[in-house]
Amino acid sequence: REDTMRNHSATHLLHKALRNLLGKQVEQRGSLVEPERLRFDFTSPHALSASDIAQVDEQINRWIRADLLVTTTIMPLQEAIQTGAMALFGEKYEDLVRVVSMGSSIELCGGTHCTSTGQIGIYITIQETSIASGIRRIEALTGRAAEAYLRQRSAMVETLAATLQIQPENVEA
């Protein structure tokens, strides 16, 4: 459950980071939150560059290191919208809604979250693809899954270096 919470909270930070980078026209079009990973679908007319992905990852990890408090508030829908809380396109909401805030990310959400962003641990984007015209998908890892992914990648570089009989920092060359 804690791994799912990390990934769910990270989807909110990802949404905010994408909007900061690409503009307010970015809208969530779907997501999947599992203990092992997160998937986030969003509107964008073009693919993200490696530099864009690095900027998004860096921003999310800055927010994680800032250990921002995650708060939830129940309020009338119209009041929530007036505070700037993002509502998902096409979703139906009750008169009273749950607003989840973490730093500058403010969204309507009924899901489970960390109590602070520091609990997410680390965030890393592992893939960005197109799933439909104007819709992109990011797959990412947080916490223990991100650590395992980075350890596996490091081991792969070490194995390649040993096979090539060179130092790991020379593998690319």
Side-chain angles (χ1 to χ4, degrees):
R1 185 155 172 86
E2 290 176 354
D3 291 334
T4 301
M5 287 177 14
R6 287 182 189 96
N7 286 328
H8 191 177
S9 294
T11 63
H12 286 250
L13 298 180
L14 173 57
H15 193 186
K16 183 62 177 172
L18 288 168
R19 287 175 64 92
N20 285 355
L21 179 69
L22 303 175
K24 295 193 184 297
Q25 74 278 3
V26 170
E27 292 181 350
Q28 181 177 342
R29 286 293 187 249
S31 68
L32 172 71
V33 177
E34 299 178 320
E36 301 81 25
R37 68 188 176 117
L38 69 90
R39 187 175 75 202
F40 187 81
D41 301 340
F42 62 100
T43 57
S44 179
H46 56 79
L48 298 181
S49 68
S51 173
D52 291 338
I53 292 170
Q55 286 180 58
V56 166
D57 284 15
E58 288 167 9
Q59 178 60 73
I60 293 168
N61 282 299
R62 275 194 299 274
W63 288 329
I64 290 169
R65 286 189 303 275
D67 198 25
L68 303 168
L69 184 64
V70 177
T71 61
T72 59
T73 309
I74 306 295
M75 64 178 68
L77 176 60
Q78 288 308 314
E79 184 181 331
I81 299 300
Q82 289 171 354
T83 67
M86 283 193 294
L88 295 183
F89 176 79
E91 288 285 319
K92 302 270 189 210
Y93 294 100
E94 300 290 327
D95 292 335
L96 288 178
V97 294
R98 186 168 178 254
V99 179
V100 176
S101 303
M102 49 188 93
S104 60
S105 170
I106 306 169
E107 294 190 40
L108 304 185
C109 184
T112 183
H113 289 279
C114 298
T115 57
S116 71
T117 58
Q119 291 177 325
I120 297 169
I122 186 172
Y123 168 94
I124 185 167
T125 298
I126 57 170
Q127 186 174 11
E128 190 271 352
T129 58
S130 172
I131 61 165
S133 179
I135 308 290
R136 308 295 303 174
R137 172 173 286 166
I138 285 181
E139 295 186 51
L141 305 172
T142 65
R144 296 181 308 163
E147 291 170 10
Y149 175 84
L150 294 172
R151 273 192 306 278
Q152 183 267 337
R153 287 293 174 115
S154 179
M156 182 173 34
V157 170
E158 293 290 334
T159 300
L160 286 170
T163 301
L164 297 170
Q165 298 179 346
I166 58 173
Q167 293 298 313
E169 59 271 9
N170 297 324
V171 167
E172 187 176 18

